Amino acid sequence: MGERKKIGLALGAGGGRGMAHIGVLQVLEEHNVPIDMISGCSAGALVAAIYAAGTDLKLLEQYLVTLMPKDIIDPTIITRGGVLSGSKVEEIISTLSHGLMIEDTRIPCFIGATDLESAEYHIFEHCKLHEAARASMAVPGVFTPAYVQGHWYIDGGTLQELPVEVLREHGADAVIAVDLSIKSPFVIQPGKAPTAHATVLRAFDLMQKAMGRLRNDSVDVRIKPDVSFMGLVSTTGAERAIAIGRECAEAAMPEIEALLS
């Protein structure tokens, strides 16, 4: 028999919708699907960092479903680049990723963010996992930009919502992607001022649609949970989002098993 395919898993951007990633990963583990490398962007970066560090997924679920908004929301001065400092989220990631360096994970982990100066998508190679994940999830106007090794970074989803290419570049023969893009566009009602939350989500929706038209991601299996009920910075509904992630992964298993064979 020949060598099996090297499998890469890409976890997409999506704010609170990233809870679905956990359910997908649980099912892949239960079915013994080998994950040789993982990439993540924004919310996907958070889950990728924690998974690559070796944290038990059931324990992770038990912890996250108990989170309250006060556990992650930390208002700051708007002139600092965002309404939330992101320190609380970074502390949570640091704890759950055991303070590991990104190069010391049990499987290769590729986390990207947008460099504000160069306007390029940057893959972190030598820093703490929590630093990379915090930079990748710095949604403009929501979280303050992250300063890592002399550079300012914002959300990787502004340039690449589904980090597939990096997996191919590092030798993945097949890619499973968890796509959290929203199926239905946000409706902006004429004559009614949109909320800040709706404006940010709509802007990301438009950016991601434009990027999708420009980029042809080479994905072998695309898992697309509909967890549009989750907000940008949301904990309410986490249990339901994880369950939907599980359901979608189970539904994709015949396709994944065919890929592996």
Side-chain angles (χ1 to χ4, degrees):
M1 293 179 64
E3 292 184 4
R4 69 167 178 82
K5 292 178 180 176
K6 187 176 289 187
I7 306 297
L9 178 66
L11 304 182
R17 303 193 299 276
M19 294 290 185
H21 288 316
I22 298 166
V24 172
L25 280 165
Q26 288 175 348
V27 170
L28 295 181
E29 277 200 346
E30 289 163 11
H31 285 269
N32 297 312
V33 176
I35 302 301
D36 298 292
M37 61 185 78
I38 192 168
S39 64
C41 178
S42 196
L46 187 155
V47 178
I50 294 169
Y51 178 75
T55 298
D56 181 86
L57 291 171
K58 281 296 182 184
L59 292 176
L60 176 60
E61 177 183 4
Q62 291 169 12
Y63 174 74
L64 291 180
V65 298
T66 65
L67 282 178
M68 302 294 288
K70 65 179 179 61
D71 297 322
I72 60 175
I73 294 176
D74 46 6
T76 188
I77 303 171
I78 190 63
T79 53
R80 292 181 179 174
V83 296
L84 303 179
S85 78
S87 297
K88 286 187 175 181
V89 174
E90 187 169 359
E91 288 174 10
I92 290 171
I93 303 170
S94 177
T95 299
L96 295 175
S97 63
H98 316 301
L100 282 179
M101 298 292 289
I102 199 164
E103 62 267 35
D104 294 331
T105 51
R106 61 192 178 105
I107 58 172
C109 180
F110 306 105
I111 292 174
T114 301
D115 186 319
L116 269 178
E117 182 179 355
S118 68
E120 294 179 349
Y121 189 75
H122 174 78
I123 299 293
F124 293 96
E125 296 181 348
H126 181 70
C127 68
K128 293 285 189 179
L129 275 168
H130 63 85
E131 292 178 323
R134 164 66 179 88
S136 186
M137 56 171 283
V139 180
V142 179
F143 288 105
T144 58
Y147 192 67
V148 183
Q149 298 173 344
H151 294 265
W152 288 102
Y153 294 98
I154 59 170
D155 195 312
T158 57
L159 291 181
Q160 194 172 135
E161 64 167 330
L162 197 59
V164 171
E165 185 179 348
V166 65
L167 298 173
R168 296 290 187 187
E169 291 174 349
H170 286 83
D173 300 308
V175 173
I176 301 169
V178 186
D179 183 352
L180 300 180
S181 58
I182 297 171
K183 293 181 179 180
S184 301
F186 290 91
V187 176
I188 303 299
Q189 299 178 6
K192 184 177 180 180
T195 65
H197 181 254
T199 301
V200 171
L201 289 176
R202 179 60 171 160
F204 266 78
D205 183 39
L206 293 172
M207 283 190 297
Q208 290 167 356
K209 280 181 170 59
M211 287 186 291
R213 290 192 292 268
L214 293 171
R215 191 178 64 250
N216 181 24
D217 288 331
S218 177
V219 174
D220 295 277
V221 178
R222 187 182 297 265
I223 300 172
K224 196 171 172 60
D226 182 0
V227 284
S228 52
F229 57 88
M230 294 294 291
L232 188 63
V233 183
S234 176
T235 57
T236 303
E239 198 165 5
R240 180 183 167 200
I242 293 170
I244 291 173
R246 289 187 59 88
E247 291 170 8
C248 291
E250 288 285 3
M253 280 312 303
E255 194 177 356
I256 293 171
E257 289 168 353
L259 178 69
L260 294 174
S261 63

